[in-house]
């Protein structure tokens, strides 16, 4: 148990440092944009390049996690991330920046499925939801602290945060090489009989996976259209200052992190992942819609902070379900999780941006409708049958 806790602590620290590095660069992106005379559309394409690269590589990396091992993929991913941040730090042309963002997407596609599979291997079915809640909390905490630290480092120079992110990732890669040991594969989970014979990507359509992947896509599509336009929404509609926006986003992230640590494990054990996902989708759809009608600063602050609870419980709930039913395909489901999230993250902001130009509220109506579609899908979602239940049915 002590060894397991130490390994989990190292994994969480790796994630924290990696996402701290990602958060470091957020405050200086506008400065780099002005320094290189980049248009808003180019910056948008840079963001999309990361997501597209992650989308393309995720199915392959998920398979590689199962074939080559969790530790190796984590270390390689961290090294690629370090190099990508270093490239961005020294890049003076748009081409170099695009190469940097593409490599960043590749690194994310390597790291996330490997870490998720690693945690699945070193935990039991009972302890895994709590561990995955901690994983999401580590990611959120890195995002919370990163921008503030990046703003301080930017006082020295606008490129310093990128060098710092590269150094942190390199340090984490070395730390992982020294301290992590490849885990024994955890086969405690059940596997549905119909999935055993499906080749390659055909496993996406195995019933116990398929609905979960659809829910991942729907939620990523809807939530990314909400999150990506939040700053523009409150700026145009309520004339919020950058300080106001920072307070709300930071407050939401802090509350979401607390919810993941304090509530996720308990709620999953009480309701199970599927019921928790249904409740989070309903909760999020109501609050996203409420964003279009609230007017006072206090209510906007309250609704936005509380809506992050639904978002931050929803994501690890789907991950927990997939890791529980995946058996020896932890890398595969991790890669598919990353791929379907990336698809939603690529197209959600695009649709949301088009709707925003028509009416400020339309992206939020759209996000609420997409989440309601997710509710409809989740309502027909049932726990997969165990092998024993399949055998009983055949006997009957």
């Amino acid at each position: 148990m002590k060894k397991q806790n130490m390994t989990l602590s190292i994994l969480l620290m790796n994630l924290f440092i990696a996402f701290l590095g990602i958060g470091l660069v957020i405050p200086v992106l506008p400065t780099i944009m002005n320094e290189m005379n980049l248009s808003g559309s180019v910056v948008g394409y840079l963001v999309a390049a990361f997501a597209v690269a992650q989308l393309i590589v995720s199915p392959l990396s998920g398979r590689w996690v199962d074939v080559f091992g969790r530790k190796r993929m984590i270390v390689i991913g961290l090294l690629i991330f370090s190099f990508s941040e270093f490239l961005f730090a020294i890049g003076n042309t748009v081409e170099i920046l695009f190469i940097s963002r593409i490599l960043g997407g590749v690194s994310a596609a390597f790291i996330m499925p490997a870490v998720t599979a690693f945690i699945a291997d070193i935990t039991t079915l009972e302890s895994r939801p709590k561990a995955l809640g901690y994983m999401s909390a580590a990611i959120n905490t890195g995002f919370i602290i990163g921008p503030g630290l990046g703003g301080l480092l930017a006082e020295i120079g606008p490129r310093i945060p990128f060098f710092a992110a590269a150094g942190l990732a390199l340090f984490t890669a070395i730390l992982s090489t020294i301290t992590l040991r490849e885990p024994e594969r955890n086969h405690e989970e059940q596997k549905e009989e119909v999935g055993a014979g499906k080749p390659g990507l055909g496993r996406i359509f195995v019933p116990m996976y398929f609905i979960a992947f659809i829910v991942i896509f729907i939620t990523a599509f809807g939530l990314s259209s909400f999150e990506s336009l939040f700053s523009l929404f409150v700026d145009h509609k309520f004339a919020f200052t950058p300080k106001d926006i920072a307070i709300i986003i930071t407050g939401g992230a802090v509350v979401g992190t607390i919810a993941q640590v304090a509530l996720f494990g308990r709620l999953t054990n009480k309701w199970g992942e599927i019921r928790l996902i249904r409740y989070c989708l309903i909760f999020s759809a109501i609050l996203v819609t409420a964003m279009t009608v609230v007017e006072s600063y206090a209510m906007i602050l309250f609704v936005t902070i509380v809506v992050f609870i639904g978002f931050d419980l929803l994501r690890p709930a789907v991950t927990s379900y997939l890791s529980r039913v995946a058996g020896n395909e932890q890398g595969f489901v991790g890669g598919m999780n990353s791929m379907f999230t990336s698809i939603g993250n690529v197209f959600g902001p695009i649709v949301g941006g088009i709707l925003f130009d028509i009416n400020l509220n339309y992206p939020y109506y759209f996000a609420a409708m997409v989440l309601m579609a997710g509710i409809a899908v989740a309502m027909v979602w049932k726990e997969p049958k165990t092998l024993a239940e399949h055998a009983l049915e055949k006997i009957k």
Side-chain angles (χ1 to χ4, degrees):
M1 180 64 69
K2 188 177 291 185
K3 182 180 178 181
Q4 174 186 311
N5 290 338
M6 180 63 70
T7 302
L8 181 60
S9 298
I10 293 169
L11 286 171
L12 295 178
M13 184 170 65
N14 286 351
L15 276 179
F16 168 73
I17 292 176
F19 282 87
L20 176 71
I22 293 173
L24 279 174
V25 306
I26 292 174
V28 294
L29 283 176
T31 304
I32 302 297
M33 176 180 170
N34 294 331
E35 183 183 285
M36 298 184 63
N37 295 317
L38 302 179
S39 66
S41 61
V42 170
V43 175
Y45 291 138
L46 282 171
V47 175
F50 183 102
V52 170
Q54 185 177 5
L55 165 64
I56 293 172
V57 177
S58 288
L60 297 173
S61 67
R63 175 63 178 162
W64 294 338
V65 167
D66 288 330
V67 173
F68 300 118
R70 286 61 161 133
K71 175 181 175 178
R72 185 176 298 177
M73 294 294 287
I74 290 171
V75 172
I76 292 173
L78 288 168
L79 291 173
I80 294 173
F81 175 67
S82 176
F83 183 62
S84 74
E85 293 300 313
F86 176 75
L87 273 184
F88 211 100
I90 64 173
N92 290 315
T93 65
V94 174
E95 291 78 12
I96 294 296
L97 299 188
F98 270 101
I99 292 172
S100 167
R101 291 301 84 198
I102 290 170
L103 289 175
V106 172
S107 71
F110 277 37
I111 294 170
M112 291 307 299
V115 171
T116 304
F118 206 126
I119 289 176
D121 287 336
I122 64 172
T123 55
T124 63
L125 290 176
E126 292 74 23
S127 63
R128 190 170 307 150
K130 187 175 183 179
L132 291 172
Y134 286 153
M135 183 183 89
S136 294
I139 292 171
N140 277 2
T141 305
F143 272 130
I144 293 167
I145 297 175
L149 183 58
L152 292 175
L153 292 173
E155 296 295 318
I156 304 171
R159 303 276 179 160
I160 296 299
F162 295 95
F163 285 115
L168 281 173
L170 181 60
F171 167 77
T172 309
I174 295 171
L175 182 69
S176 298
T177 302
I178 297 171
T179 58
L180 291 180
R181 290 187 177 182
E182 183 67 20
E184 294 183 9
R185 303 294 169 90
N186 189 340
H187 301 305
E188 180 183 346
E189 296 83 353
Q190 58 173 307
K191 282 201 66 174
E192 192 174 8
E193 202 174 51
V194 293
K198 295 281 185 178
L201 293 180
R203 287 172 295 171
I204 291 174
F205 301 102
V206 171
M208 67 176 180
Y209 293 155
F210 185 61
I211 293 182
F213 294 149
I214 294 299
V215 169
I216 290 169
F217 167 71
I218 287 174
T219 53
F221 191 69
L223 298 183
S224 64
S225 67
F226 167 86
E227 294 172 332
S228 62
L229 294 165
F230 175 77
S231 297
L232 289 177
F233 177 77
V234 293
D235 172 67
H236 284 63
K237 191 169 184 178
F238 306 110
F240 274 21
T241 66
K243 181 181 178 181
D244 295 326
I245 295 171
I247 289 172
I248 288 179
I249 291 177
T250 303
V254 169
V255 170
T257 299
I258 294 172
Q260 287 167 341
V261 173
L263 299 178
F264 181 69
R266 295 178 184 177
L267 294 178
T268 304
N269 291 332
K270 181 179 180 180
W271 292 330
E273 294 96 349
I274 293 176
R275 284 180 65 190
L276 179 58
I277 290 165
R278 289 172 185 160
Y279 296 152
C280 287
L281 284 168
I282 294 169
F283 182 77
S284 300
I286 292 171
L287 289 174
V288 168
T289 305
M291 280 293 296
T292 63
V293 296
V294 295
E295 294 183 356
S296 69
Y297 180 84
M299 284 303 298
I300 297 164
L301 183 66
F302 172 77
V303 170
T304 307
I305 287 177
V306 175
V307 78
F308 275 98
I309 297 176
F311 296 170
D312 291 331
L313 292 177
L314 181 60
R315 291 171 175 130
V318 181
T319 302
S320 176
Y321 165 83
L322 284 171
S323 71
R324 178 165 57 81
V325 302
N328 62 355
E329 295 185 323
Q330 297 293 334
F332 166 74
V333 298
M336 290 300 102
N337 190 337
S338 181
M339 185 186 80
F340 280 93
T341 300
S342 298
I343 294 173
N345 288 342
V346 169
F347 293 105
I350 294 173
V351 176
I354 294 170
L355 293 173
F356 184 85
D357 289 337
I358 301 172
N359 185 287
L360 299 181
N361 291 322
Y362 281 5
Y364 291 84
Y365 296 143
F366 169 73
M369 290 173 61
V370 172
L371 291 171
M372 283 188 278
I375 295 168
V377 173
M379 286 301 176
V380 300
W381 190 3
K382 296 180 180 179
E383 282 285 340
K385 294 180 179 178
T386 63
L387 291 173
E389 288 173 324
H390 278 296
L392 284 174
E393 284 188 358
K394 286 184 177 180
I395 292 173
K396 291 177 182 178

